[in-house]
Amino acid sequence: MSPQESRSQPERSSRPKLARRGAPQNWPVWRQLTSGDLLGRGAATRSRRHLEITPRTATADAVVKSVCPFCAVGCGQDVYVSDGRVIQIEGDDDSPVSRGRLCPKGSASKQLVTNPDRITTVLHRKPYATEWEELDLDTALEMVADRVLDSRERFWEETDANGDTVRRTRGIASLGGATLDNEENYLMKKLYTALGAIEVENQARI
């Protein structure tokens, strides 16, 4: 073939041709406009892949009612369990608080249970130590109780500088979190008031 003839031939690309798009009836927007599902909340959103897979909730042995632990709203959750393991967490339709809805954090709360990095033991680091050591729960609770009682006793004030009865301690303070619901905060306030603590606060208010 002469150079002139080779130049007259159309150049062929080594790249593969792009696959043709599917027929219009396979487009979600087309299905949404032609099927009557104008809001896109029904059949228009179902793909072939969607029809082929099986939801995790379908394989559950039991459904346990629970409450989301992320904040004080208390959204209801359905915890799906299979073979003793949590396989999915969904919003509880029966909950008067959330009515089946969960925020992004609540929807992802399954990882709190199934994440391999979750700490499941009590860890304690002694003063000046560089390593953590594991403690059993009973030992840890006894240590906390001993420290609370010791602080209360050492910093107890029966009267103030004017001789007025105060019966308080400034050696104990409480800072609650937004994950606590109203009932838990109520019980904590009663506990610390009974101990004589006056610095009782919550980070959600701060």
Side-chain angles (χ1 to χ4, degrees), residues 29-74:
V29 175
W30 179 270
R31 297 198 305 267
Q32 187 172 337
L33 295 176
T34 58
S35 65
D37 184 18
L38 297 180
L39 297 179
R41 296 180 177 177
T45 62
R46 297 174 184 171
S47 63
R48 179 179 301 176
R49 172 64 177 162
H50 171 83
L51 299 175
E52 292 175 350
I53 60 178
T54 302
R56 286 188 291 267
T57 56
T59 61
D61 300 329
V63 182
V64 181
K65 299 291 184 180
S66 184
V67 177
C68 180
F70 266 113
C71 76
V73 173

Side-chain angles (χ1 to χ4, degrees), residues 50-109:
H50 171 83
L51 299 175
E52 292 175 350
I53 60 178
T54 302
R56 286 188 291 267
T57 56
T59 61
D61 300 329
V63 182
V64 181
K65 299 291 184 180
S66 184
V67 177
C68 180
F70 266 113
C71 76
V73 173
C75 295
Q77 291 182 327
D78 286 336
V79 181
Y80 293 84
V81 182
S82 178
D83 296 329
R85 296 179 58 85
V86 176
I87 59 174
Q88 183 66 10
I89 296 179
E90 302 280 352
D92 183 6
D93 293 332
D94 298 328
S95 171
V97 176
S98 53
R99 295 179 294 175
R101 300 174 178 87
L102 291 176
C103 75
K105 292 189 295 183
S107 300
S109 57

Side-chain angles (χ1 to χ4, degrees), residues 14-27:
S14 60
R15 292 178 297 178
K17 293 182 179 181
L18 294 176
R20 291 185 176 181
R21 295 180 180 271
Q25 58 266 27
N26 294 329
W27 299 352

